[in-house]
Amino acid sequence: PGPQLDFDPEKKTLVILGSGWGATSILKGLDTEDYNVVVISPRNYFLFTPLLPSVATGTLSPRSILQSTRYITRHKKRKVTVIEAEATDVDPANKIVTFSDNSGVQGQVWSTTLPYDYLVYAVGAETQTFNIPGVREYAGFMKELHDAEKMQDKFMDCIESAAFPGQSSEEQDRLLHIVVVGGGPTGVELSGELHDFLEEDLKHWYPELADKIKITLVEALPSVLPSFSRQLIEYTESTFKEAKIDILTKTMVKEIKEKSVVLAMPDKSIKEVPCGMVVWAAGNTLRKVTKDLIAKLPEQDNRRGLIVDDHLRLKGADGIFALGDCTATQYAPTAQVAAQQGNYLARILQHIAKRDHIQKQLDVLAAEGVVDAPEKKGEIESLAKQLAKWEKLRPFHYSHQGSLAYIGSEKAIADLPFFGSGNLATGGMITYYFWRSAYLSTLFSLRNRTLVATDWMKVKMFGRDVARD
Ligand code: FAD
Ligand code: NAD
């Protein structure tokens, strides 16, 4: 049996899968009077991903960059049902979603189904491993909150073990070598944050070890940040050089072992490099549930993601919209795109609710057999006119606001479409505060802004905490 949910039978059921950038933007803009709204996500909170690397280095507390989904839905006009569960299957033919509670607290996995009229599919992506041996066993990721917390823990483990009395110099070098794989924005920002942690705090707490800490960024392509302009790439590379972060380009990680990484070097030679910790930031791949959905729809033939039309309707399925990192569109998989798509869909769903309401009135008249009755002519014409007005949906239009990345050493790069050549690469306090205020102003709630600003102030006054629980 399906779950007992308190639904208004007059309204259609809108199920939203996910609680990330896309799903949360819809929830913010949606008029919940229009539907019975259900949110299903294995994470009962929204995560502000741009600041995740700051959690990994202890600059921010994990709680500061998350916001409970119930906190968001609590302020809506009509009740929204939030279910902490993972969608395991979507049946587009019968319009049913299956989901499971994997918490394990009841000693077993509970699974159930829910029929939908409209489904918003916003489950994001997971980290791509290319099935490279050892990645899942020995490397950490930088995708979810627990990844950042685990990394912070492991990093401190490496440092404390290196500080253990009698530790050999060779083993110290290994433990204090951090390898970041992937020179995309995630890998670059994380390396920059690690460098700041080292310069601003670790040098004071572990003066005898600080000089031995080494950060290596490995990138398979000829440069880091391939989506940024040449000028910004060079600025980043020279900043990293000064910061003593080694960049290995045209270098591919082939395997990760317990205490080393195996690299295919630009000259095709294979080199095994000892290290204490590896962080894997090599891009996105689709989740299993998305791959399964693609396999069910003959119209879906792109292995990069779900194909949607200009209105974010899933090709080949009725009543499903898809957005964000799980889709294959002309746009990069960014928070900026997912958030704008979410805003757009919130408006479209309102539009569709109006259209459905008029259609329902026409269907009732048709069922009563009065469509041809002369006394109903005026009413039917008026409804048909309104329906025609709501029939036409505006397509999604993306407005690029620029890309911004923090590269450590109080420096940031920005690719701004409205700023001269578009490239802004500066350092010093102004950029630093520009970067920070840009993030503060896009953080979703006053609560998060306050928490993040307080964390930054605490770090300025007392430094990052190197103690662990
Ligand atoms: P997500 O935000 O990932 O949300 C997916 C949601 O689906 C999550 O709530 C997840 O729990 C849920 N989910 C997963 N599986 C299921 C399931 N089976 N059933 C139901 N729900 C499920 N982009 C920028 O534009 N600027 C930045 O500065 C930036 N910085 C980033 C930093 C880091 C470290 C990372 C990892 C990414 C960054 N991005 C940035 C990219 C950005 O985070 C993504 O593009 C964005 O999160 C995509 O939004 P989404 O809604 O598609 O997916
Ligand atoms: P990405 O796909 O942008 O970069 C991953 C990099 O890893 C690629 O350059 C790839 O060549 C490299 N790589 C893959 N396999 C490798 C291997 N075996 N050895 C060495 N290198 C390997 O991934 P990302 O940085 O996580 O970013 C994902 C998305 O999120 C992007 O769209 C990005 O723009 C967005 N994002 C934006 C920001 C920002 O704007 N500040 C920050 C983080 C992420």
Side-chain angles (χ1 to χ4, degrees), residues 16-25 39-53 69 83 85-89 97-99 121-127 142-144 147 185-187 189-190 281 284 287-290 323-327 332-339 341 398 400 402-406 435 439:
I16 300 175
L17 299 185
S19 56
W21 277 96
T24 303
S25 300
V39 182
I40 300 174
S41 177
R43 202 167 78 183
N44 72 352
Y45 57 85
F46 164 73
L47 176 68
F48 192 85
T49 46
L51 290 177
L52 195 59
T69 302
I83 305 174
E86 182 181 335
T88 51
D89 184 67
V97 57
T98 306
F99 53 97
Y121 194 87
V123 305
E126 58 183 45
T127 306
M142 193 46 52
K143 185 87 183 153
E144 301 290 341
D147 294 330
T186 303
E189 289 192 327
L190 179 67
N284 291 343
R287 295 186 190 280
K288 182 177 177 299
V289 64
T290 309
L323 69 162
D325 284 7
C326 59
T327 59
T334 64
Q336 213 182 127
V337 170
Q341 289 176 327
Y398 173 60
H400 187 57
S403 308
L404 190 69
Y406 179 64
W435 180 80
Y439 278 117

Side-chain angles (χ1 to χ4, degrees), residues 216 225 339 394:
T216 303
L225 297 176
R394 237 174 1 97

Side-chain angles (χ1 to χ4, degrees), residues 130 132 181-187 189 218-221 226 251-253 280-284 332-334 404-405 439:
F130 301 101
I132 291 176
V181 186
T186 303
E189 289 192 327
V218 186
E219 168 54 53
L221 296 175
T251 305
M252 174 101 82
V253 173
W280 188 265
N284 291 343
T334 64
L404 190 69
Y439 278 117

